[in-house]
Amino acid sequence: VAVRAVASTGVVAEQILGRPCEDTITITAEWENMATKSVGHAVYTASWTAAKADVHSQQRFFCLMEQGEVTADQCHRGYTLASDESGGLMSLNPLYIRNVPDTKGRYCGQAGYGYVSFERFVRAAAEINAGKATAADFDDELPTGRVTEAVTAILEAGRMSLDNGGCKVTLVYDNQTPANKDKIMELKI
């Protein structure tokens, strides 16, 4: 439905880049359930300014909904889900990648989802280049352009909000064409 963004500046990024740049950005997105028309919101934060820790940046997402919640900790590649239907809190944290050898010195990161997702992308690209498939054939398993359109629109709306003093940016959907009912057509200040 709409996006607002705020930022913190002047700590690290500006010193490194030598130009104005945000250190931390938080986006609040308002969502509407198209079926019930109930409205909710989610908070997304990314920060490049952090104390010395196990990660060099922080990216987090939290969405509390009518029948559940989702929390993502992108810097640790983990997320949790709780819903009325899941029977409580579930930690859905697949092993991203293992970059240390096993006891015999062999590489064993092939089963981590970071490695597997890269392999799937390369295989899909090969099929598309060979004319055996199209990008749309992978919409249900890879982050194709069509699948990531809404996320890109939200990020762009966040940038627009920051550039305009944190104002509300409305996501305008195509309500005229049934096939495009979930497609964001315009961002309005």
Side-chain angles (χ1 to χ4, degrees):
V1 176
V3 171
R4 288 182 184 85
V6 294
S8 301
T9 61
V11 178
V12 174
E14 195 168 318
Q15 294 169 9
I16 292 170
L17 297 173
R19 62 172 174 78
C21 183
E22 295 86 359
D23 291 308
T24 301
I25 298 172
T26 297
I27 293 176
T28 302
E30 297 174 30
W31 295 95
E32 179 182 11
N33 182 318
M34 303 296 222
T36 67
K37 301 298 180 195
S38 61
V39 177
H41 69 277
V43 178
Y44 310 84
T45 297
S47 182
W48 300 269
T49 303
K52 290 189 183 212
D54 60 334
V55 295
H56 71 279
S57 65
Q58 297 288 334
Q59 302 98 35
R60 301 196 188 276
F61 160 77
F62 178 71
C63 183
L64 178 60
M65 300 161 285
E66 179 182 350
Q67 296 177 4
E69 66 183 63
V70 177
T71 303
D73 176 358
Q74 187 63 18
C75 56
H76 293 98
R77 303 292 193 241
Y79 57 101
T80 58
L81 169 74
S83 73
D84 294 343
E85 295 162 5
S86 71
L89 184 67
M90 298 183 332
S91 179
L92 308 169
N93 192 14
L95 181 61
Y96 180 69
I97 198 160
R98 180 178 171 179
N99 284 322
V100 294
D102 67 9
T103 57
K104 299 198 184 298
R106 298 174 296 205
Y107 177 74
C108 53
Q110 299 93 325
Y113 85 87
Y115 186 95
V116 171
S117 61
F118 186 72
E119 178 186 15
R120 288 171 64 199
F121 173 81
V122 170
R123 288 181 188 273
E127 286 185 42
I128 292 167
N129 287 339
K132 296 177 182 175
T134 68
D137 294 329
F138 299 97
D139 284 347
D140 60 347
E141 61 182 284
L142 292 172
T144 61
R146 192 189 69 71
V147 173
T148 60
E149 240 175 8
V151 173
T152 303
I154 290 167
L155 292 172
E156 178 63 21
R159 178 78 260 159
M160 288 173 67
S161 178
L162 287 174
D163 292 345
N164 290 280
C167 72
K168 178 178 180 177
V169 177
T170 303
L171 309 174
V172 180
Y173 289 84
D174 180 356
N175 294 326
Q176 307 303 315
T177 312
N180 289 337
K181 68 179 175 55
D182 296 330
K183 186 175 174 115
I184 298 168
M185 302 301 287
E186 181 182 1
L187 304 175
K188 267 191 189 174
I189 294 179

